[in-house]
Amino acid sequence: MQILGDPLYHLRLLGRMGHTVGADLVQAFEAGKIDNETWTQMITNCRGCPYPQKCHAWLDATEQAAAPPSGCCNAESLHQLRDAAKKDLGK
């Protein structure tokens, strides 16, 4: 059984990752693009990652990026949220 990382640390890490790749999780939640269950699952995915220190270092060195680093377990969700936000801006 894998031990999950600290929930608050990973919530912050996920928020930073979203910001870096252009996927605002708070805005997505407020707009109804994600619900509590989806957000919780994304945090749990992050908590289960065996390499959060690599992610943290990547975020420290990266202001903006088109995609999360290779291996990010939330990459697909972040891409979808980013693309939905871009589409909404184009309306």
Side-chain angles (χ1 to χ4, degrees), residues 10-57:
H10 288 276
L11 170 64
R12 290 178 179 148
L13 201 61
L14 180 59
R16 286 181 64 201
M17 184 63 71
H19 177 77
T20 300
V21 301
D24 186 330
L25 295 168
V26 173
Q27 182 181 17
F29 179 77
E30 290 173 350
K33 305 284 184 195
I34 58 173
D35 58 15
N36 285 333
E37 186 176 325
T38 302
W39 201 340
T40 299
Q41 186 59 55
M42 291 176 75
I43 295 166
T44 301
N45 292 345
C46 186
R47 291 178 65 204
C49 176
Y51 307 108
Q53 61 279 26
K54 281 185 169 182
C55 185
H56 190 107

Side-chain angles (χ1 to χ4, degrees), residues 17 21 58 65-69 79 82:
M17 184 63 71
V21 301
W58 183 86
H79 284 154
R82 181 202 59 215

